[in-house]
Amino acid sequence: MKKLFALFYMCLLSFNSFAGGHITKEEKEKTIKCLGHYAAISFISADQIEAKDLEYALASYKVARAYLKNEKVNEEEINTGVNKVVDELVGQPFNKKRNDDCNSFIYKLIPGSKEEIEKMRGTLE
């Protein structure tokens, strides 16, 4: 019985170790680039972007940033990376391909993110 309890306890400990902090360097970097893309969308003039695209970007930003924080990515690293990407993209028009690529990546990386973003984004169509 003690062995069974010990085995159960070890399994529980190993499960908890995967609760956060298991994102790869590549996933982290790509997520930060997507965060920068989503943030840059908020600087696009309202007459140059559809409201639903802006809503999706804001909701996606919130979901992806929360994911990075849950994965124990340093806040300063997130902010520095986002600011770098925003500086590169501000002044450029909405890039549908980049947006679609980021959306697809985020949906695959974060379980349930598509539904959460859709729920969060608002009601404009």
Side-chain angles (χ1 to χ4, degrees), residues 1 65 70 77 96:
M1 184 68 168
R65 187 174 187 95
N70 187 54
E77 183 179 3
K96 182 167 174 33

Side-chain angles (χ1 to χ4, degrees), residues 7-25:
L7 180 62
F8 175 73
Y9 184 71
M10 289 174 61
C11 289
L12 186 62
L13 285 177
S14 64
F15 175 75
N16 285 338
S17 68
F18 291 106
H22 64 279
I23 189 172
T24 68
K25 181 179 179 184

Side-chain angles (χ1 to χ4, degrees), residues 2 45 52 70-72 94 99 104 114 117-118:
K2 286 183 181 181
S45 175
K52 70 178 177 118
N70 187 54
E71 291 298 313
K72 313 224 185 321
F94 180 70
N99 196 65
S104 294
K114 186 173 185 175
I117 290 166
E118 181 65 37

Side-chain angles (χ1 to χ4, degrees), residues 46-111:
D47 62 340
Q48 295 177 350
I49 188 170
E50 292 188 35
K52 70 178 177 118
D53 291 327
L54 178 58
E55 287 179 338
Y56 271 107
L58 295 174
S60 298
Y61 180 90
K62 186 172 183 175
V63 168
R65 187 174 187 95
Y67 175 78
L68 287 176
K69 289 175 74 176
N70 187 54
E71 291 298 313
K72 313 224 185 321
V73 177
N74 182 293
E75 188 83 25
E76 186 175 326
E77 183 179 3
I78 296 170
N79 293 339
T80 300
V82 168
N83 289 339
K84 181 180 175 187
V85 175
V86 168
D87 287 345
E88 294 170 7
L89 298 179
V90 165
Q92 294 184 14
F94 180 70
N95 185 324
K96 182 167 174 33
K97 181 181 179 344
R98 183 183 309 121
N99 196 65
D100 290 346
D101 289 347
C102 279
N103 290 344
S104 294
F105 171 74
I106 295 299
Y107 296 160
K108 288 179 188 172
L109 179 67
I110 307 170

